[in-house]
Amino acid sequence: MEKYEELLVAIRQIIRAIDLRSKKLSKAVGITGPQLLVLQEVSALLGLTSKQVSDSINLSQATVTSILDRLESKELLVRKRDSEDRRKVSLYLTDLGVETLKDAPRAMEDTFIEKFENIEPWEQTLLLSSVQRVASMMNAGELDAAPILNLGEIHAPKD
């Protein structure tokens, strides 16, 4: 097998692992990975705005707004307009949102981070550089991406 074929197989294995994890999350609690990430952010600090969530998880404002719309329709969070500054809208989890977070399976990123942190710093740098190069070779360097390993509704709806 050629080296490029081995690399493509490894990439496909990563994609498959992410897909399986995403399906497990959806089956367990009925949300996608990006939705879970947004719920976790809203849970971490009460009263965040969508802009703060967007900045924190490195997704565009439009993408986060789309995810928030879905979470609100599932009654997992609510948007509340500030009584003093009506332009400001803060985000809060509902009781169902809190329960959903509690019931969600452990994130794939958690185990990845544990393993990554246990390798030598030079190897961490080598892995980062190599994967960034692969992303660049696949013309994926400019795509909207968050630090999560789940597939699902991560893009904003097209106009």
Side-chain angles (χ1 to χ4, degrees), residues 33-35 37-38 41 53-60 63-64 67 109 143-150 154:
Q35 290 171 346
L37 184 63
V38 169
E41 282 301 310
V53 172
S54 172
D55 291 345
S56 178
I57 63 174
N58 195 35
L59 286 176
S60 73
T63 299
V64 169
I67 293 169
E109 296 84 2
L143 295 178
D144 193 17
I148 57 172
L149 296 175
N150 289 295
I154 196 157

Side-chain angles (χ1 to χ4, degrees), residues 42-122:
V42 172
S43 171
L45 197 59
L46 291 178
L48 285 178
T49 65
S50 62
K51 172 87 170 93
Q52 290 169 315
V53 172
S54 172
D55 291 345
S56 178
I57 63 174
N58 195 35
L59 286 176
S60 73
Q61 182 78 38
T63 299
V64 169
T65 298
S66 177
I67 293 169
L68 290 171
D69 289 343
R70 288 184 186 95
L71 292 172
E72 191 172 36
S73 72
K74 293 180 180 193
E75 300 181 351
L76 299 175
L77 65 75
V78 292
R79 293 172 166 125
K80 292 186 181 175
R81 196 165 295 280
D82 190 295
S83 59
E84 294 177 18
D85 182 353
R86 303 287 297 155
R87 295 170 297 175
K88 182 179 177 189
V89 177
S90 299
L91 306 167
Y92 299 92
L93 292 186
T94 63
D95 291 342
L96 182 58
V98 171
E99 286 304 310
T100 299
L101 272 182
K102 286 180 187 174
D103 294 342
R106 186 170 181 216
M108 177 184 268
E109 296 84 2
D110 293 345
T111 56
F112 174 84
I113 290 167
E114 285 174 15
K115 291 176 183 178
F116 186 80
E117 288 178 342
N118 284 323
I119 62 175
E120 295 294 323
W122 67 266

